[in-house]
Amino acid sequence: MRFRIAASAFAAAALLLGTAVHADQLDDIKKKGQLVVGVLGTDEPATFIDPKTREIIGYEVDLVNAIAKKIGVKPVLKQIAVAARIPELQQGHVDLVAAGLTHNKEREAQIDFSLTTFVTGQKAIVKKDSGITGVPQLSGKKVLTIRGGTQEPNIKKAVPGAEVVTFDTSQQAFQALQQGKGVGYVDDEAALLNSYAKLGPQKAQYVVLPQNLSTEALAIGIRKGETGLKAVVDETLRELEKSGEAEKIFFKWYGPKTKSGFDKRSFKIETDKIDS
């Protein structure tokens, strides 16, 4: 009995200590003087490498820079792969993930999310001479996309008969489409339109299908249970929205004068709730 009581007391103390340590992430960030953020660096215009400065810039970079400023530390961007986003966060290699991360119910069991920072639809682009005019016609065809994101399961859900071929980066997948290794390429609308714009005169050979395969709520990933860090992240995002700065940042990267060419913002940064 004494052993059981002692063991229980030890377990309770360990749990309490573990909770205290776990809750110190925000303090640790302040102590080390830097906020390490996992980004893709290959997802223009969200996070990509400026060809002139070789620095990572973009929409999500501007948001995390504001968060780092709010905390009072230096932002440090760490380039990670799509499939490594959640593991890198869980293992403590990064403090946050700002890498085109879709917030869904399945991932809520693994990590926490900030307020939704972007809402986008996933679309497909095909070669015009393929004769494909709608998403259902991709059934039985090779469809190319990024490995480790929500694109692959969304394609399989929308077009069960499609053969999905994945690549490490969006650039590789889109290049494979141009090389004829598949009939269609699927990505988030903003990123897809950016790739489409880069085709220049060759744009006439391709068409973006009008239907969405899915609608995605993107957010910043936060380690599970880090309530202090989530609070400051969300507070920063709310302040950006309230001041109008969030809309300015959106149009800077996605507006009419950009390759994405959006003339309006269809969302506000205001909630971390998503549809089931």
Side-chain angles (χ1 to χ4, degrees):
M1 179 63 75
R2 286 182 181 178
F3 176 78
R4 290 181 182 177
I5 292 173
S8 298
F10 177 79
L15 179 61
L16 183 61
L17 178 62
T19 302
V21 172
H22 181 71
D24 281 343
Q25 189 187 5
L26 181 57
D27 286 339
D28 288 343
I29 290 168
K30 291 177 180 178
K31 287 175 183 176
K32 68 185 178 183
Q34 61 183 30
L35 177 70
V36 182
V37 183
V39 300
L40 295 180
T42 57
D43 184 24
E44 189 176 353
T47 61
F48 65 104
I49 297 174
D50 185 325
K52 295 180 180 178
T53 65
R54 305 309 299 170
E55 294 181 351
I56 299 176
I57 59 174
Y59 175 77
E60 291 182 311
V61 174
D62 284 359
L63 296 182
V64 297
N65 283 345
I67 293 166
K69 183 178 180 181
K70 177 78 172 178
I71 298 172
V73 296
K74 176 185 176 182
V76 176
L77 306 180
K78 179 182 178 181
Q79 209 167 348
I80 58 178
V82 172
R85 293 173 298 182
I86 291 177
E88 286 279 312
L89 185 63
Q90 291 176 318
Q91 293 165 18
H93 298 158
V94 296
D95 300 312
L96 299 173
V97 168
L101 189 65
T102 296
H103 179 181
N104 58 33
K105 293 297 183 182
E106 180 182 358
R107 287 175 174 169
E108 283 183 352
Q110 301 174 292
I111 62 172
D112 290 334
F113 290 88
S114 71
L115 304 179
T116 295
T117 58
F118 201 93
V119 177
T120 183
Q122 288 181 349
K123 288 184 178 291
I125 183 172
V126 298
K127 283 192 174 182
K128 192 172 289 184
D129 62 11
S130 69
I132 293 174
T133 58
V135 169
Q137 291 173 276
L138 293 172
S139 183
K141 308 290 196 304
K142 283 187 178 181
V143 181
L144 316 172
T145 194
I146 309 163
R147 182 178 298 116
T150 58
Q151 291 87 346
E152 182 177 2
N154 286 339
I155 295 167
K156 291 179 177 179
K157 183 178 179 180
V159 195
E163 180 185 347
V164 184
V165 181
T166 61
F167 297 81
D168 289 333
T169 68
S170 56
Q171 289 94 329
Q172 291 172 351
F174 191 59
Q175 186 178 40
L177 175 68
Q178 295 170 268
Q179 294 169 342
K181 295 180 180 179
V183 170
Y185 162 67
V186 170
D187 202 353
D188 294 343
E189 181 180 18
L192 186 144
L193 291 177
N194 195 282
S195 298
Y196 177 61
K198 291 180 179 178
L199 288 169
Q202 293 184 358
K203 283 172 62 176
Q205 300 175 23
Y206 296 83
V207 60
V208 178
L209 301 183
Q211 308 99 320
N212 282 352
L213 279 78
S214 67
T215 299
E216 306 286 299
L218 308 185
I220 295 170
I222 306 165
R223 208 172 307 154
K224 198 73 178 171
E226 293 295 346
T227 55
L229 182 56
K230 175 172 166 54
V232 74
V233 168
D234 288 349
E235 183 181 358
T236 305
L237 295 174
R238 286 193 180 95
E239 289 174 354
L240 291 175
E241 184 64 43
K242 185 176 180 180
S243 68
E245 188 63 24
E247 186 161 295
K248 289 180 183 178
I249 293 172
F250 173 85
F251 282 112
K252 171 185 175 182
W253 297 107
Y254 296 98
K257 296 181 180 180
T258 69
K259 294 171 185 174
S260 297
F262 288 105
D263 58 5
K264 64 179 180 179
R265 184 175 67 140
S266 62
F267 64 92
K268 288 186 177 182
I269 300 178
E270 58 188 355
T271 182
D272 60 1
K273 306 304 180 199
I274 58 169
D275 296 331
S276 299

